[in-house]
Amino acid sequence: MKAYEIVSDGGVDALALNDRPDPKPGPGEVLVRVRASSINYRDLSTVEAPVPRGIPYPRIPNSDGAGDVVEVGPGVTRWKAGDKVCGCFFQGWIDGDITPEIMGRALGGTIDGMLAEYRVLGEGGLVAMPEHLSYEEASTLPCAALTAWVSLVHRGGVKAGDTVLLLGTGGVSVFALQFCKLMGVKTICTSSSDEKIQRLKAMGADEVINYRTHPEWQEKVLELTDGRGVDHTVEVGGAGTLERSIAATRVAGSIGLIGVLTGGEINPVNIMRKSIRLQGIYVGSRRVFEDMNAAISQHDLKPVISDTFAFEDARDAFHAMRAAGHFGKLVVKT
């Protein structure tokens, strides 16, 4: 089979497309023909800086993928040949809270990922694809969609009538906007692009702030909420935006801390003063993934794909992630 491999710290252009032996499933394992793999910022970071992350060579990148079950190993009862499935970001996280042991089972990081023609995964490390989605659409769900869902629903407890702040137009934020619309939640979004602002409005964003025009965008958020602040913020920027997100979130509100896209430091005093609940979000369990997929199926939700790349052009997809011009997800067909 063909698989992309991180073989050095040379970055995206050093990704190698190599041959590997065709894998076979062992007891409790499932062989999947991967049909599509989507890219997250975390995948780009892993490719660009494998050494600080302790990534051994060679390592197949990408946490996200969808495809068909080809063969099952002895003892497998959950799946059969022909089933359409998505891989789970963390292999072995079935339910409950994350543990250090589970954190050591991340696809495309501590273990091989999905940017390959075939992958063997554990029987419990897969979920059924929503039937109305293509492979490309389903491949966007394991990380970005599930992270947004966990921030809003599983941890954030967001409900109809609440107001949520969403930063930017990457995969997590666009999924979060779609989920908010399903739940009857008011959204305030930020972007620096007039074109993207129009797309956000077309998707149903209630308010959109251009953070280039309004660099102190937290003040605009407070103005839009009559000084109260939002109930929940999906924070994808990290320390560089967190201070403003804290200012924009109401007293006793919540923030789902997801991204590390910006540098900087954070003063925790205002978290304490405002009694804000700051929750780190590191994807989610298989059970929550299945809950999210049930909602996606019920509402016929379609993920937003910015661009799709051929397998041989996968490096271009990583370059597109670095350029940050996308709206929604970047997908590689395998």
Side-chain angles (χ1 to χ4, degrees), residues 45-58:
S45 298
T46 301
V47 170
E48 290 185 329
V51 175
R53 290 166 173 77
I55 303 298
Y57 307 141

Side-chain angles (χ1 to χ4, degrees), residues 11-12 39-50 53 61-62 317-323:
V12 171
I39 295 179
N40 300 287
Y41 187 83
R42 170 261 192 184
D43 303 315
L44 172 66
S45 298
T46 301
V47 170
E48 290 185 329
R53 290 166 173 77
N62 285 22
F318 286 96
H319 285 304
M321 174 64 73
R322 170 54 63 201

Side-chain angles (χ1 to χ4, degrees), residues 16-295:
L17 181 56
N18 290 332
D19 290 317
R20 281 198 178 194
D22 291 337
K24 294 286 291 182
E29 295 180 333
V30 177
L31 176 64
V32 177
R33 172 62 172 100
V34 183
R35 300 294 182 180
S37 176
S38 70
I39 295 179
N40 300 287
Y41 187 83
R42 170 261 192 184
D43 303 315
L44 172 66
S45 298
T46 301
V47 170
E48 290 185 329
V51 175
R53 290 166 173 77
I55 303 298
Y57 307 141
R59 171 66 77 235
I60 300 173
N62 285 22
S63 61
D64 291 11
D68 308 298
V69 173
V70 176
E71 183 182 351
V72 300
V76 172
T77 58
R78 284 177 55 86
W79 308 106
K80 65 182 184 304
D83 287 342
K84 296 182 177 182
V85 294
C86 301
C88 296
F89 185 103
F90 285 111
Q91 294 292 288
W93 189 5
I94 306 303
D95 200 356
D97 291 331
I98 196 167
T99 66
E101 292 73 26
I102 289 169
M103 291 174 68
R105 299 287 297 167
L107 292 177
T110 48
I111 61 177
D112 277 333
M114 300 294 284
L115 196 55
E117 292 179 317
Y118 291 90
R119 281 291 282 117
V120 168
L121 300 175
E123 176 182 23
L126 298 163
V127 299
M129 277 176 48
E131 293 182 0
H132 70 290
L133 298 186
S134 67
Y135 294 114
E136 292 81 8
E137 291 165 337
S139 77
T140 69
L141 301 179
C143 181
L146 185 54
T147 297
W149 181 266
V150 169
S151 177
L152 293 168
V153 179
H154 185 60
R155 294 297 187 186
V158 171
K159 61 187 182 303
D162 284 349
T163 301
V164 168
L165 173 63
L166 307 174
L167 308 183
T169 56
V172 172
S173 297
V174 171
F175 270 119
L177 173 58
Q178 292 180 288
F179 292 146
C180 284
K181 293 298 96 181
L182 297 187
M183 297 186 291
V185 170
K186 181 179 180 180
T187 53
I188 301 174
C189 303
T190 70
S191 176
S192 63
S193 162
D194 289 338
E195 178 185 353
K196 291 180 178 180
I197 285 172
Q198 292 307 311
R199 293 193 65 180
L200 288 168
K201 290 179 177 178
M203 289 182 63
D206 295 284
E207 303 284 354
V208 185
I209 302 167
N210 187 319
Y211 63 80
R212 299 290 185 201
T213 306
H214 301 281
E216 299 297 325
W217 47 262
Q218 74 280 8
E219 296 177 359
K220 188 68 173 176
V221 174
L222 291 172
E223 178 185 324
L224 292 168
T225 57
D226 296 324
R228 176 176 179 269
V230 299
D231 298 289
H232 182 77
T233 297
V234 179
E235 170 53 71
V236 298
T241 53
L242 184 54
E243 290 274 14
R244 289 186 171 87
S245 291
I246 293 167
T249 303
R250 68 169 171 84
V251 171
S254 59
I255 299 174
L257 182 59
I258 293 159
V260 289
L261 303 182
T262 58
E265 297 180 352
I266 178 66
N267 183 341
V269 170
N270 284 329
I271 300 173
M272 177 270 293
R273 284 178 174 168
K274 296 182 74 173
S275 299
I276 284 173
R277 178 162 47 89
L278 180 63
Q279 172 73 55
I281 306 293
Y282 198 5
V283 200
S285 69
R286 190 189 77 196
R287 182 190 67 79
V288 181
F289 196 167
E290 291 170 335
D291 290 346
M292 177 190 73
N293 280 355

